[in-house]
Structures are given as structure tokens and as C-alpha cells.
Amino acid sequence: MNRMLEIRGLKARIAGNDILKGVDLTIRAGETHALMGPNGSGKSTLAKVISGDPSVEITAGEVNFEGHNLLEMEPEARALAGIFLAFQYPVEIPGVNNAAFLRMAYNAQRKARGQEPADPMEFDEILKLKREAVEVSAEFLDRAVNHGFSGGEKKRNEVLQMAVLEPKLALLDETDSGLDVDALRSVARGVNRLKTPSNARLVVTHYQRLLDYIVPDFVHILADGRVLRSGDKTLALEVEKRGYDWLGA
Amino acid sequence: MTDKNIRIEDLVNRDYQYGFKTELEPGTTVQGLSEDTIRFISAHKKEPKFMLDFRLKAYRQWLKMKEPRWAHLQYAPIDYQNIIYYAEPKAAAKKLKSLDEVDPELLRTFEKLGIPLTEQKKLAGVAVDAIFDSVSVATTFKEKLREAGVIFCSFSEAVQEHPEIVEKYLSSVVPATDNFFAALNSAVFTDGSFVYVPRDTRCPMELSSYFRINTENSGQFERTLIVVEENSHVSYLEGCTAPKFDTHQLHAAVVELVALDHAEIKYSTVQNWYAGDPATGKGGIYNFVTKRGKCAGRRSKISWTQVETGSAITWKYPSCILSGDDSVGEFYSVALTTGKQQADTGTKMIHIGKNTRSTIVSKGISAGQASNNYRGLVQVSKGAEGARNFTQCDSLLIGPNCGAHTFPYIDLQNASSQVEHEATTSRVSEDQLFYFQQRGISKEDAMSSIINGFCKQVFRELPGEFAVEATQLLGLKLEGTVG
């Protein structure tokens, strides 16, 4: 099958500290990958590199997405190409209405595809379906983007945005953190409903528990800036039982 | 960190698009300040004696006054002898019978500024008084307004045609000696707008004045008077621009509003004077103005809405004297400062009548090395039984080198009054911009979306089409080329 994302020999630093020290990773359409590892191993940094976060400095390696050199693209161009990051800490934007923000993002995508923008009425219809698919109440839409949201509400809002934008590659950065078990299940159901044979997911997490609900095809253990081991979902269970130490991490 | 800040800075410095100068044959100019200057202005305008007396009295008082230094502003002393107090391009000197006689170069200037004046092109539904340096060039829709009984003309014309109204209300709200700049204005003012709405009349269209300073070193001393009689209503909007010069120009205006019983005045400003060079601070307008309205009648209402984006320095406190029982004062303000701009702006709400109410919503946006200050006074006098005020003061900072301050003063002399004050300060962060970008939205769109979200409470108070204009104006000021 086609390689969607291909990372080769990636090295990156943040604020002068080397974080990624040579990462290789390939993701194909239809796959779900989990990225695990101890604190400070570089999991979130990898998600930042792919999405184009300006705080990360790339020092070596290449990242290709559907044949394009991702590292040469602006963050918004990457987003329009189909990369979505569900943020670990979604940013609050006071004064900007959530529904208006979603429509702006949706229409940016339509514009990039040469389509006419959706008017508010039309978008309302689309939004209603998406909202129901990911179990988010209408009340969410009238509030300012993430402003005054609880931790769990912010994560749900990320999944709602993901549903609206239908990315090819979704990066879920510790989407389970701060969620109770019911919220975790609901968020996972939302993510699973968005799964198709033509899209892919990279799930960054500390814990196996999220992977009970979002089942990965591949699990990678990242330690000290390198992929220490890759395997199937049983690798995550093994880590859960024995910790990272047995891997020499 | 520095790199990131530069990226944000790139978004806030766009070229000033109204900085062009109109080349006209110079006409009469008078430089330097003396009784002779004042006598010249008064004689040149063929003013009645009461006007000259008023001017000279104000001048003699001004000589004894000191320039105020209490504002949170820094600037070199102004040389009042170096200012041109009267600048009248030759083309505007003649008294014209119709708009068709206006010099085409002047018409082109206003057209370039988006203010077409000619019969064929003039803005539908908005009457415009266009003021160029010291003189009013043209006023549109005069006849149509006159049918409704509304007088809308230049101040100079009002002095000629309606001296009794001018004499009755001039300085009834802002005394000639109110403050240093008001006294200066009272001595040397040249032109401005005059509006009179008779009783039981709803002005059939928006009224608008457009101020343009063109001559280098000239001051613009605008005088505006709006009187609205019982049960009447008017909505008035002013706009301002000036060419780019390396020297500072002084704009010292006085605006007086009078609302009688059940009358309502809505006064909106979109101020976009040249702000000076964003890096060096060279040039730009000193906008030192006194604007005050008097709710003289019962249940009268005065509402100020201002969008202040230009000027090197803004010193401005549009205020309401709430004399009539149950009268209402409102102040909605967006003040944007970028580069080296400084603003010290706010309002005064003086509650005198019973059950008077006031609302203050101030939004300050500061970027670059700019300084943005809110200064407001809420005063409740002894007799103002049941007075209420609500104040909301929000500051938004863009980048690490700008500043915002609030100086709220509250003076309560009546225990039955209720006064609320809320204030917030927030910052546009690189994280917020990245969040938008990650959703496919450009930095420019992200910035204007954040700014418009911050300002919408104020923008919705502007008359329809001007809300769009204000949104675009802030967009222009804040969206630059991304580095």
C-alpha cells in the first residue's frame, strides 16, 4: 500500500536541546500507529515536527507526506494537505466563536481545493451531523474556542474539529490525558467512527488504557529520541506489565 | 524568543495607505500665534463680533495656562509659533454655488480617500462634509436634509447663516478655558461641522464629516457643534487622515454635543491620522482633542463610539454630562497602537440627574513598542439618586515590548448609586496563531479573527457600513506581510 508519511533520520531540537536523535517511521493509509515512551522521550516533539510547530528546530533528516517534502511547507499548508494535530493542550482563544472558527477552518480547506465556501446555513447542517458523530452537544458551538472549557471539553472539541476537517493523517497528542474513563470511551468512539481505509492515525500516549479503545496496528517505543522497538499491540501490553526499563529505556 | 516575536511584529506593520500629499497651489497661510493671527482668521471668515470677542478672550486665558503633563505620554515641547494656523488652498478659497465648481484635484483627493463627493458618485444614504486643512470643501445632500429641517453645514457657514444657534450653544458644554488645548482651539479654530436637528425629527440619513490635513506644519483646529432638540435623533460619523510628513502636526479639536429632552445623539469616530514612522517615531499627528456631550434633557442619550487607529499621540476623553434625569451616556472605544504610537484615552461620565445611567466599554490593543492607556472618570454627584455605571476595560497585548495601563477614577457622592468596574489584560500568543495555522488558517486571518473577536462589542455599535470599514481598517493595520 502507499506510504502516506515517511520519516527518515529525523533529528530535532527545542530551545537548544537535542530531543529527536534519528527517528525513522513509516505510516500507510488505513493504519493506526501508537507512539509510547517515557516522559521526555520526544513523543510530543515528533507530533510537533509533523505539524510544523515553529518552536522545533530540525537539524537533520527528512519527512515526506504523500510525496511532498513536509519540512518545506508552512503549518497551514500542511493542515490543508490533510495533517491534523489534536493538541495535548488545546489553546484558548477568547472572543472567537467556536462555530465560526470551525467554519473558517472548513472553508480554508474548501478554498484550497478550489471549492466555494460553505455559507453559515449550509455549514450548520454539516456541523450537526459531525457533532452527533463525535457526541458533542450543540452548546459547545456558541462558546469561544476552548475558552473556559474543562480539560475533557477541550479534548472533545479537538475531536469535533477532526470530524469536521476529515484529515488524512490525524496526530493525537496525549488525547487521553485529563479524561475520566467515560470521557475517554466517548472520545475514542468518536475517533474510531472517523476511521476509513484511506486515513491514518498516530496516537501519542503514556498509557496502554487508551489503546484498549483505539486499537493500534503498530506500536513504537520511543526512548531518548530514538525508536527503541516497534511491534504490534501486544508490545503495548508488555510495556504496561513490565514498564519501559526492560527495554533498556 | 526574539525570532518568534519578530514574526508576530511582521503582522502589525503595514504601510499607511493614505499618506499621499495633494499638490495644490498654496493659498492663504498664516503661521505663528498672536492676536493678529486671530483677528485675521475672524476677519477672513467675516465673523460677527461675538465670535472675535470669544476668540480673543480664549486666547488671553490660554496665554496664562500650562500645557497638561498628567497624561501617560511622552513628547517634545510643541513650538506654538511654528504652527500654521490657517491653511487654505487657493482652489478652496472661492465661495462655491455647487459641488460642480469644486476644484477637481480636491475632488480626486477625497475620492482617493474613499469619499466621493460629486453628484454622480456620492455615497448613498450618507451626507458628507469634507474638510481640507482649514476649510470645508463641500457638503453633500444639504438640500435633502433641509427638507427634513436638519441643518448640516460647515461651522463657518453656520456662523454666517445661523449665528443665533451658534451663539447660544458655543462653549455651553466645553467652556473656552476648560483646558489648555480647548482654549487654544477656541482662539484659533478654523472649521468643522455644524448639525442642528429641530424637535420631533429623526435625521433621515447618516451624517459624516471627513477631515484631511494636507499642508505640512499646519495644525487643524476643528470645531464641531451638534444640537438636537426634543424628541429628535441623529447619527454622526467622522473620519480623519493625513499625509506622511517627518514633522508632527497638531490636531486640537473641540466637539460639543447638546441633547435636549428625549433626544439622542450617536457620535462615531474612525480615526486614522498618520501615526508617524513605526521604527523611529518621526512625524505623525498629535491628536489632542476635547469632546464632550451634554445630556441636558430628561431621558436624553449620548453615545460615543470611537475606533482610534492613527496618530502619533492620542489624548482624548469623549465625555458625557448627564444632567437630565434618566439620561444615558455611553462610551465604546477601540484604541489600537502600534510602532511608537501612544494613546491616553478614555471618558468621563458625570452623573448629575437622577437615575442616570452610563456604560463604558474600552478595548485597548497594543503592539510593537506602543503604549496604550485607558483613563476614565465616573463621577456621581450628590443629587444623582439611583445613578448606575458599568465599566469594562480590556487590554490586548501583541508582542513583548508594548504596554497597557488603566487609570480608572471613581468619585461617588451619592450612596444610592451603583458602580461596577471590570478589567482584563490578555496577550496574543504565538501558540494561538499556531493553533489557527494547524487548522489551515493563515496567520493574517488568525490575527484579524482574534482582534475582531476582541473588538466586536464595540464594532457592533458603529453604523452598519462603518462597522465593515472599521474591521477592514484594523485588518490593514494588523495584517502585514508574513516573514
Side-chain angles (χ1 to χ4, degrees):
Chain A
M1 218 190 292
N2 266 346
R3 290 172 173 196
M4 183 184 266
L5 181 78
E6 208 161 11
I7 300 176
R8 293 282 165 262
L10 179 69
K11 294 182 181 174
R13 49 169 65 172
I14 293 182
N17 300 316
D18 293 322
I19 309 287
L20 298 179
K21 300 172 181 171
V23 172
D24 299 299
L25 182 68
T26 301
I27 298 178
R28 293 176 179 81
E31 295 175 348
T32 301
H33 290 242
L35 192 60
M36 301 181 76
N39 275 333
S41 58
K43 305 187 296 291
S44 288
T45 303
L46 188 63
K48 284 179 178 168
V49 167
I50 299 168
S51 60
D53 189 318
S55 67
V56 187
E57 186 195 342
I58 317 288
T59 51
E62 52 186 80
V63 182
N64 283 296
F65 180 72
E66 295 194 318
H68 300 289
N69 179 357
L70 213 53
L71 301 181
E72 284 180 353
M73 292 161 74
E74 289 293 326
E76 59 267 41
R78 300 181 196 201
L80 296 173
I83 290 173
F84 180 92
L85 171 63
F87 285 74
Q88 184 179 1
Y89 303 110
V91 183
E92 298 198 10
I93 306 170
V96 177
N97 174 271
N98 208 17
F101 177 78
L102 281 163
R103 191 161 73 90
M104 216 189 310
Y106 184 75
N107 280 338
Q109 239 184 18
R110 293 192 46 142
K111 193 178 166 197
R113 292 192 206 120
Q115 295 166 330
E116 287 295 304
D119 63 44
M121 300 278 275
E122 199 181 333
F123 186 66
D124 252 18
E125 292 297 310
I126 297 166
L127 204 45
K128 188 165 183 292
L129 296 174
K130 300 294 183 182
R131 191 170 61 63
E132 285 166 359
V134 295
E135 306 173 22
V136 166
S137 71
E139 171 262 347
F140 255 59
L141 302 173
D142 296 332
R143 296 160 70 179
V145 180
N146 296 325
H147 186 57
F149 281 34
S150 70
E153 285 175 332
K154 284 181 182 170
K155 296 297 170 81
R156 282 164 178 271
N157 202 27
E158 294 292 290
V159 177
L160 173 61
Q161 294 182 40
M162 183 175 150
V164 170
L165 297 175
E166 297 181 337
K168 289 178 184 160
L169 175 63
L171 312 167
L172 303 164
D173 191 3
E174 305 212 9
T175 297
D176 51 337
S177 68
L179 294 184
D180 62 38
V181 72
D182 291 331
L184 179 70
R185 280 189 188 141
S186 160
V187 162
R189 274 198 301 272
V191 171
N192 288 333
R193 277 186 202 130
L194 300 173
K195 185 177 173 177
T196 71
S198 60
N199 64 24
R201 283 145 303 280
L202 177 63
V203 181
V204 174
T205 183
H206 266 294
Y207 304 107
Q208 145 68 25
R209 80 171 180 163
L210 176 67
L211 305 181
D212 287 340
Y213 304 104
I214 301 175
V215 182
D217 303 304
F218 301 94
V219 174
H220 312 278
I221 308 297
L222 202 65
D224 193 28
R226 287 190 182 84
V227 176
L228 200 64
R229 187 171 306 186
S230 296
D232 62 13
K233 63 181 177 186
T234 57
L235 179 58
L237 294 166
E238 197 74 31
V239 166
E240 175 84 348
K241 235 183 281 167
R242 302 169 66 176
Y244 291 113
D245 286 347
W246 67 278
L247 287 164
Chain B
M1 274 314 276
T2 324
D3 281 344
K4 271 207 258 176
N5 295 330
I6 288 166
R7 279 200 293 272
I8 265 185
E9 295 304 287
D10 287 340
L11 295 170
V12 297
N13 291 320
R14 211 182 229 194
D15 239 17
Y16 184 64
Q17 59 168 345
Y18 303 110
F20 66 91
K21 186 187 180 211
T22 310
E23 293 303 335
L24 288 169
E25 200 181 334
T28 316
T29 55
V30 182
Q31 192 161 12
L33 184 53
S34 66
E35 290 207 2
D36 286 347
T37 299
I38 293 162
R39 285 177 201 282
F40 169 83
I41 292 170
S42 192
H44 195 76
K45 290 187 171 290
K46 300 186 179 66
E47 288 180 347
K49 187 168 179 299
F50 82 87
M51 284 299 309
L52 177 63
D53 292 346
F54 172 79
R55 288 172 180 280
L56 288 173
K57 201 175 146 200
Y59 175 65
R60 287 165 195 154
Q61 286 295 323
W62 178 79
L63 286 172
K64 295 180 213 155
M65 297 170 90
K66 278 212 173 81
E67 200 174 316
R69 285 286 167 181
W70 44 260
H72 194 75
L73 301 171
Q74 287 174 334
Y75 58 95
I78 297 169
D79 180 358
Y80 290 92
Q81 293 309 328
N82 195 35
I83 293 172
I84 294 173
Y85 286 87
Y86 193 83
E88 176 189 69
K90 222 171 196 171
K94 273 186 299 180
K95 190 151 173 68
L96 306 172
K97 283 196 199 73
S98 83
L99 280 167
D100 304 334
E101 295 175 33
V102 177
D103 184 272
E105 196 56 41
L106 283 173
L107 292 178
R108 264 197 295 279
T109 299
F110 282 100
E111 206 165 316
K112 248 168 115 173
L113 297 169
I115 319 289
L117 299 169
T118 54
E119 206 54 46
Q120 304 80 18
K121 293 180 184 166
K122 65 186 176 187
L123 304 169
V126 184
V128 178
D129 183 24
I131 295 160
F132 191 88
D133 285 341
S134 305
V135 282
S136 168
V137 169
T139 311
T140 62
F141 290 109
K142 253 184 181 167
E143 287 313 310
K144 188 172 174 201
L145 289 166
R146 198 158 294 163
E147 281 166 30
V150 174
I151 303 169
F152 179 43
C153 62
S154 71
F155 196 89
S156 304
E157 194 180 327
V159 171
Q160 301 297 326
E161 312 281 327
H162 312 283
E164 66 299 338
I165 308 177
V166 173
E167 192 171 7
K168 183 172 176 188
Y169 290 105
L170 179 72
S171 81
S172 70
V173 186
V174 179
T177 53
D178 185 79
N179 65 70
F180 183 84
F181 296 111
L184 178 64
N185 173 285
S186 298
V188 300
F189 70 83
T190 43
D191 222 333
S193 296
F194 175 82
V195 178
Y196 176 79
V197 186
R199 61 182 300 166
D200 302 321
T201 306
R202 201 178 167 90
C203 183
M205 59 206 311
E206 294 282 340
L207 305 184
S208 170
S209 291
Y210 195 89
F211 295 90
R212 174 78 176 168
I213 302 179
N214 190 61
T215 306
E216 188 158 13
N217 286 329
S218 71
Q220 192 175 54
F221 301 93
E222 157 213 349
R223 188 91 194 188
T224 289
L225 175 61
I226 299 178
V227 179
V228 179
E229 297 270 11
E230 286 163 41
N231 286 319
S232 293
H233 174 280
V234 74
S235 171
Y236 173 93
L237 182 126
E238 59 172 356
C240 344
T241 58
K244 286 180 174 182
F245 290 122
D246 284 347
T247 51
H248 296 291
Q249 290 163 289
L250 179 62
H251 174 82
V254 171
V255 173
E256 297 178 279
L257 314 182
V258 180
L260 301 178
D261 285 0
H262 298 267
E264 186 177 339
I265 302 175
K266 188 172 174 58
Y267 190 106
S268 314
T269 303
V270 177
Q271 186 261 108
N272 188 19
W273 296 118
Y274 177 52
D277 185 274
T280 62
K282 252 192 170 177
I285 303 283
Y286 288 163
N287 190 34
F288 297 159
V289 307
T290 305
K291 296 190 172 184
R292 197 174 300 156
K294 189 172 185 177
C295 283
R298 285 176 46 81
R299 290 194 182 276
S300 54
K301 178 177 174 183
I302 289 179
S303 181
W304 298 99
T305 305
Q306 61 173 23
V307 178
E308 302 282 321
T309 66
S311 297
I313 300 180
T314 293
W315 179 97
K316 180 183 173 190
Y317 315 89
S319 303
C320 296
I321 301 170
L322 303 169
S323 298
D325 290 348
D326 302 296
S327 61
V328 176
E330 293 175 339
F331 174 75
Y332 297 95
S333 170
V334 167
L336 169 75
T337 48
T338 68
K340 296 231 180 223
Q341 280 180 286
Q342 306 174 62
D344 194 297
T345 184
T347 185
K348 289 190 273 188
M349 293 292 175
I350 313 295
H351 293 258
I352 296 169
K354 291 188 179 63
N355 299 315
T356 44
R357 282 174 291 140
S358 63
T359 304
I360 300 172
V361 177
S362 164
K363 304 276 181 177
I365 305 165
S366 199
Q369 299 172 56
S371 159
N372 203 317
N373 309 293
Y374 168 81
R375 187 182 303 276
L377 168 68
V378 176
Q379 189 178 69
V380 178
S381 323
K382 271 205 182 93
E385 207 64 36
R388 276 182 293 158
N389 162 267
F390 172 75
T391 299
Q392 185 188 338
C393 234
D394 298 323
S395 304
L396 185 68
L397 304 174
I398 303 172
N401 301 320
C402 53
H405 303 271
T406 30
F407 303 96
Y409 305 86
I410 297 173
D411 173 11
L412 304 179
Q413 291 166 28
N414 185 308
S416 70
S417 58
Q418 272 181 43
V419 172
E420 287 175 70
H421 183 96
E422 289 178 8
T424 65
T425 302
S426 52
R427 195 179 280 280
V428 177
S429 67
E430 200 69 39
D431 285 351
Q432 286 177 326
L433 296 181
F434 179 66
Y435 193 77
F436 275 88
Q437 285 180 287
Q438 213 302 304
R439 300 303 185 241
I441 302 162
S442 71
K443 261 189 179 180
E444 283 94 340
D445 288 347
M447 187 69 101
S448 51
S449 175
I450 292 170
I451 300 286
N452 284 324
F454 181 72
C455 301
K456 68 185 164 202
Q457 238 178 314
V458 173
F459 284 171
R460 67 173 174 230
E461 297 298 325
L462 287 170
E465 59 266 55
F466 298 109
V468 179
E469 191 187 310
T471 307
Q472 286 168 348
L473 178 60
L474 282 205
L476 281 175
K477 290 259 160 178
L478 286 162
E479 293 173 14
T481 46
V482 185

